Structures are given as structure tokens and as C-alpha cells.
Amino acid sequence: MQVQIYRQDDEHDGSGHYDMFLVPYTDEDKVTVMDVLDYISLHYDGSLAYYKHSVCDHGICGRCGLRINGKAALACTTIAETPLLLLEPLRKKDVVRDLVTAP
């Protein structure tokens, strides 16, 4: 699975860009987008900023909201069903860093 993630850090230059990662999941594995983000953070880039809560996976708090292939969704409950994932922060929210937005 190819995963393209929007990255932005205002503390450095403030400009956004996209990073591409190859993750060894297929659309048949039935993993969530949060699982994909966890894999990238553990195996490729620990500096990736995304919201992860210890009791996530219930879709209750909504803090892991982001755009997945252009549509707003929760990373903890959305199944990664396509061979290419485009992950971006929610629109109309201030980006703190990468996929994390201000409340």
C-alpha cells in the first residue's frame, strides 16, 4: 500500500509538502488508517505527528479526524481499503503539525 501524507511544521519553514511511504498492508488486511499511521511512525518516521489516544478505536472523541482520500473521516475507525491512501489534515482547521489540527 502506498501512503501519501501531508507534512507541515510551522516551527521550521511553515510550508507543507507530501511524503510517500510504502506499507506492507493490502486492502484485504482490514487494517485501520490508524494502524497504517502507527506502522509508519514505528518503522519509517517517528517524527510523524498525528493524534493517537490510548483508548482510540471507538470513534467517540473525534480527535483523530483527518481527510482520507479527500473525505473527512476518523483514522481510528476507517478501514484502509485502497492501494493508495492520501492523508491530509482537516480543512478549515489550523495545522499544528503534520496531521494534527487545533481544536
Side-chain angles (χ1 to χ4, degrees), residues 63-79:
R63 293 181 186 159
C64 64
L66 53 115
R67 282 186 292 150
I68 302 168
N69 293 336
K71 295 182 181 178
L74 298 178
C76 71
T77 59
T78 302
I79 301 297

Side-chain angles (χ1 to χ4, degrees), residues 30-64:
K30 302 297 182 211
V31 296
T32 65
V33 172
M34 185 67 74
D35 295 328
V36 172
L37 288 169
D38 289 342
Y39 184 91
I40 291 168
S41 179
L42 288 171
H43 297 283
Y44 290 114
D45 188 348
S47 72
L48 175 63
Y50 62 101
Y51 187 81
K52 171 75 175 184
H53 191 269
S54 61
V55 293
C56 224
D57 298 334
H58 298 290
I60 296 171
C61 71
R63 293 181 186 159
C64 64

